[in-house]
Amino acid sequence: MMRQMSRRGKFITFEGLDGTGKSTQMRRLAAALRKSGHEVVETREPGGTATGEKIRKVLLDSETSALAPLAEMALMFASRAQHIAEVIEPALAAGSIVLCDRFTDSTEAYQGGGRKLGSPPVRELHRVLCGDLQPDLTILLEANPHVSVSRARKRNRRASRAGARGHDESRFEQETRAFFMRVRESYMAIAKREPGRVVIVDARGTPGQTHERIVEVVRKKLRI
Ligand SMILES: Nc1ncnc2c1ncn2[C@@H]1O[C@H](COP(=O)(O)OP(=O)(O)O)[C@@H](O)[C@H]1O
Ligand SMILES: [Mg+2]
């Protein structure tokens, strides 16, 4: 039993508002960890599996209209339950380091905070549908919300010009400033509630500066 537990991998999640640099930083950390010989699995939510990517399209496409907040939350968890079963748990059991771009904290921040569904239903669904799986470490990227949201808008415009006609990932981007402030508040409340798991990382500098901070946190917290 003890031996099996010591061989389990590590689960690291990246959180923060759109455009704070989660995807950029996850790629960089993955490269650094692989360079030092670790087996790394990079994945994302919503998505991460074939079914999850279909759900992602429904959730993020701006053509999805009038999605009820509870339906939105349920779809996030449907994607996540599949992701845990198909990707995350097997990879952790095999001893890999799993890096995940967004996880349940995003649901608590966006649907709980942003959509005002509250934290308790999110945490309850996480317990029921996700076996209460907790990351070993969560990197919460913190930047000026106006700057990061406008970065994300620019990136999304570039991506939808390059991508398939009519498909985009900008549904959340149409939300109001007040929505993003609630999301941010919820993230801060999570960090305060779970300081052992969630580390706030200053993401206002260059990608390289943020990367160095993250490497330091990972080294200290997980000894890798
Ligand atoms: N530190 C940074 N400074 C300036 N631009 C950045 C920085 N980090 C990322 N970007 C750019 O901002 C956009 C959003 O970054 P991204 O990693 O996609 O954020 P997220 O995954 O959190 O939405 C991308 O175009 C990316 O190249
Ligand atoms: Mg991203």
Side-chain angles (χ1 to χ4, degrees), residues 1-11 38-41 88-98 136 222 224:
M1 190 63 189
M2 279 309 288
R3 211 165 64 218
Q4 200 177 346
M5 277 173 71
S6 66
R7 268 196 263 120
R8 186 174 164 87
K10 297 287 182 199
F11 184 29
H38 295 282
E39 196 62 48
V40 179
V41 172
I88 299 175
E89 270 300 346
L92 291 173
S96 298
I97 298 177
V98 177
D136 297 290
L222 302 182
I224 48 178

Side-chain angles (χ1 to χ4, degrees), residues 17-24 101 151 155 158 203 205-207 210:
L17 284 174
D18 218 21
T20 47
K22 296 179 296 299
S23 305
T24 305
D101 192 337
R151 262 190 215 159
R155 177 206 56 208
R158 270 200 310 274
T206 65
T210 306

